[in-house]
Amino acid sequence: MEITGVDFVAVPSTDWKRSRAFYVETLGLRPDANGQAEFWVGQTCFGIYEPPTFGMTFAPQTTAHLALHVDDVAAARADLQAKGVEFDGDVFDTGVCRMAFFSDPDGNALMLHHRYSPREEASGS
């Protein structure tokens, strides 16, 4: 068996229409032409679902931030703040990338991300 990619990311919601509006209208992600509850980030499909529809309890994803690539974290953050998005703390710089943390309307953890330093190649393996 070989896993060759990620087909989609499932985003839990209490109101998929509100979530779709946030991701498409506020964040500017590309809506799917064939699925009302789907949108795209580059080549990755995001599918919005309401857990109770599938017999599950809703709980936001708060520990695995979806890292959304942008060229300029500070500028993207300012743009989203102007649209009413609230961020958790300041822009965080790790020495190789910048990140800004926020959540969607259901509390799912998101991050703006930009890696500005190349990864070092692993040696000795």
Side-chain angles (χ1 to χ4, degrees), residues 67-74 91-100 111-122:
L68 304 171
H69 173 79
V70 294
D71 289 333
D72 184 330
V73 172
V91 172
F92 185 71
D93 192 322
T94 68
V96 296
C97 65
R98 291 184 185 89
M99 300 176 275
M111 132 193 353
L112 298 176
H113 181 264
H114 178 78
R115 183 176 193 90
Y116 58 83
S117 180
R119 294 177 190 200
E120 291 186 28
E121 294 295 322

Side-chain angles (χ1 to χ4, degrees), residues 24-109:
V24 172
E25 296 169 17
T26 303
L27 298 185
L29 304 182
R30 179 172 45 99
D32 186 86
N34 301 308
Q36 291 184 338
E38 296 178 348
F39 51 92
W40 294 83
V41 179
Q43 298 301 311
T44 303
C45 179
F46 276 49
I48 305 163
Y49 74 104
E50 295 176 351
T53 302
F54 300 97
M56 298 181 282
T57 302
F58 171 80
Q61 171 50 274
T62 61
T63 59
H65 293 79
L66 297 173
L68 304 171
H69 173 79
V70 294
D71 289 333
D72 184 330
V73 172
R77 175 187 163 121
D79 181 55
L80 291 177
Q81 284 179 308
K83 294 177 181 179
V85 174
E86 294 182 18
F87 282 80
D88 302 319
D90 295 326
V91 172
F92 185 71
D93 192 322
T94 68
V96 296
C97 65
R98 291 184 185 89
M99 300 176 275
F101 299 95
F102 65 107
S103 300
D104 75 4
D106 282 301
N108 293 300

